Amino acid sequence: MNARERFLKTINREIPDRVPLYVSVTPQVAKMLSDRTGLPFEKPLDSMLSTRASHMGLMAELGADAVGIAACAPTDNPTIKLEGGLIKNEWGMVFKDTGQYNEFYEFPLAHAETAKDIEQYKFPDPFAKGRWDEAQKTINKYRKTHGIIADLETTLFETAWYLTGLEKFLIDMMMEAEYINPLLDKIQFIHTEYGKKMIEMGTDVLWCGDDFGSQTSLMMDEDTFRKIFKPRIKEMFYEYRKVNPDIKLAWHSCGAIKPLIPDFIELGLDILNPIQPLASGMEPQELKNRFGNDLIFFGGICVQEILPNGTTQEVKNEVIRRADVLGKNGGYIIAPAHNIQEDTPVENILTLFETVKSL
């Protein structure tokens, strides 16, 4: 069974020969792996979701069964470098390069108060020239051999607060500020078009997401989620399935989001990610017991403790344990619960790949 067959069996709720693997890494980790293995280092893509779709050749060579694609900055509006080590993307968000990640420095809609503020702001064009070139290259290369996962995280909530600042957005959302719905309308339109395009291109899974959870609880009350975000997600899922009724829809939400899982099942979600094992209430065995008939699980390998701090034997044990629990009777794409970061020993990363391949 090749990687693509394994992946397709899993997302179609059949039992594969072993669990399929997907891995995403930061550029620093990709360089570490390239140096160790002698495999080529691939330049990161110019995308707000770069880590999920970059270095896929390296991941595939190491043993990943699925590769990622994502929207990239268009040809005429690439991410640019400013003075003082700052970076500005096509959304107008300004970041400071701190090494592992680009940290937020300036929120372009921090001033927003009215619907007019949103109307006057220039948002990205989903159909801009060059946006889909890299995604098409990846599909052309891997479509026959690997699963294809189209990344569309930061679907609504996160992109909104990336533009305004988190504290401002949360407060203004509760105060029902005039600009909130127009802003979400703009983001919803753009990301609906992104998703439809990647489905038309032939992705197997559309991976949406917003982090609604912290380590210990939800970031907003359940009623707020159901009032503001759930109806929009329902509309987006409907539009995606108009393009392909058989598309598999995944949702990423870090943190303690168990109270929202029944809502996502009601929305027709197929795949839940990332199963952050140290977040409150996200214990894999309980999730499998309660939701395993409704959802495929995607993630589950701890990037907070085991991968960066564990021994190679502990990593091996973690992989086997997660595969045994979440992969029982199928329904599991094994993956780190987030991008693997630079504090992770190369030996542990290679152990992850080798252990999965040996299952």
Side-chain angles (χ1 to χ4, degrees):
M1 185 175 293
N2 70 19
R4 179 165 180 77
E5 292 168 341
R6 182 176 300 119
F7 185 79
L8 292 181
K9 274 188 174 292
T10 298
I11 65 174
N12 286 304
R13 292 194 164 276
E14 300 174 25
I15 299 177
D17 58 341
R18 64 160 172 82
V19 294
L21 173 67
Y22 167 86
V23 177
S24 61
V25 299
T26 64
Q28 296 86 354
V29 172
K31 185 64 168 62
M32 290 161 50
L33 288 167
S34 293
D35 290 345
R36 174 63 65 87
T37 63
L39 294 169
F41 175 77
E42 303 155 303
K43 182 181 177 181
L45 301 181
D46 184 1
S47 169
M48 197 158 77
L49 301 168
S50 179
T51 53
R52 302 302 205 188
S54 298
H55 318 299
M56 288 297 112
L58 176 62
M59 297 300 101
E61 285 291 333
L62 290 173
D65 296 291
V67 296
I69 63 171
C72 290
T75 306
D76 64 353
N77 198 10
T79 300
I80 59 174
K81 292 184 178 181
L82 307 175
E83 292 183 2
L86 301 180
I87 302 166
K88 184 177 181 180
N89 70 12
E90 62 170 321
W91 290 81
M93 304 164 188
V94 179
F95 304 87
K96 188 172 184 64
D97 185 355
T98 61
Q100 284 198 12
Y101 281 103
N102 297 329
E103 299 294 342
F104 283 98
Y105 185 83
E106 184 177 297
F107 302 99
L109 287 173
H111 66 283
E113 298 293 341
T114 67
K116 189 174 182 180
D117 292 329
I118 305 305
E119 292 169 9
Q120 293 177 339
Y121 193 75
K122 185 176 181 180
F123 287 85
D125 175 3
F127 313 107
K129 182 179 179 181
R131 187 174 302 287
W132 304 108
D133 292 355
E134 292 298 330
Q136 191 63 62
K137 290 177 186 177
T138 299
I139 289 174
N140 291 346
K141 184 173 182 178
Y142 292 105
R143 177 63 174 166
K144 294 182 179 179
T145 58
H146 289 72
I148 307 293
I149 301 175
D151 192 34
L152 191 53
E153 295 170 280
T154 75
T155 305
L156 290 166
F157 172 55
E158 286 191 74
T159 296
W161 77 253
Y162 290 1
L163 290 164
T164 66
L166 179 58
E167 183 176 353
K168 172 182 171 61
F169 186 81
L170 289 173
I171 292 172
D172 289 350
M173 183 172 62
M174 300 309 297
M175 298 300 292
E176 300 184 341
E178 180 184 318
Y179 77 88
I180 292 291
N181 279 322
L183 174 58
L184 290 173
D185 287 344
K186 287 282 191 180
I187 296 167
Q188 181 175 339
F189 168 74
I190 292 167
H191 285 161
T192 297
E193 295 303 320
Y194 278 14
K196 288 163 61 177
K197 175 63 177 179
M198 290 188 284
I199 294 168
E200 291 169 356
M201 293 171 73
T203 189
D204 302 305
V205 172
L206 184 64
W207 184 12
C208 309
D210 281 308
D211 287 342
F212 289 121
S214 70
Q215 191 77 13
T216 58
S217 66
L218 294 174
M219 293 180 66
M220 64 189 70
D221 64 273
E222 296 169 42
D223 288 344
T224 297
F225 167 80
R226 290 171 185 142
K227 176 183 176 182
I228 295 178
F229 295 102
K230 187 175 179 180
R232 292 179 179 275
I233 296 168
K234 182 178 181 179
E235 291 171 0
M236 296 175 84
F237 281 10
Y238 174 76
E239 290 297 320
Y240 299 149
R241 287 201 161 108
K242 278 172 61 177
V243 179
N244 178 5
D246 297 321
I247 188 65
K248 302 303 180 184
L249 298 175
W251 191 272
H252 168 97
S253 187
C254 287
I257 54 111
K258 187 167 72 171
L260 301 183
I261 294 177
D263 292 277
F264 280 104
I265 292 172
E266 182 183 324
L267 288 167
L269 186 71
D270 299 297
I271 303 168
L272 183 66
N273 169 267
I275 321 301
Q276 186 178 336
L278 295 185
S280 297
M282 300 301 289
E283 201 280 320
Q285 183 68 70
E286 181 182 353
L287 295 179
K288 183 72 171 182
N289 292 343
R290 184 172 173 186
F291 303 114
N293 290 333
D294 299 300
L295 293 171
I296 292 164
F297 298 105
F298 172 20
I301 301 299
C302 179
V303 297
Q304 292 178 281
E305 287 294 340
I306 294 293
L307 271 180
N309 301 320
T311 64
T312 53
Q313 186 60 50
E314 287 171 331
V315 171
K316 183 176 181 179
N317 293 344
E318 168 91 344
V319 169
I320 294 170
R321 181 167 58 248
R322 297 300 181 224
D324 285 346
V325 171
L326 292 171
K328 186 177 181 180
N329 298 319
Y332 181 39
I333 303 164
I334 196 165
H338 211 287
N339 304 315
I340 300 177
Q341 300 184 39
E342 193 176 9
D343 60 350
T344 306
V346 170
E347 290 79 7
N348 285 4
I349 302 170
L350 296 177
T351 296
L352 165 65
F353 280 99
E354 294 307 314
T355 304
V356 173
K357 290 188 288 186
S358 69
L359 291 173

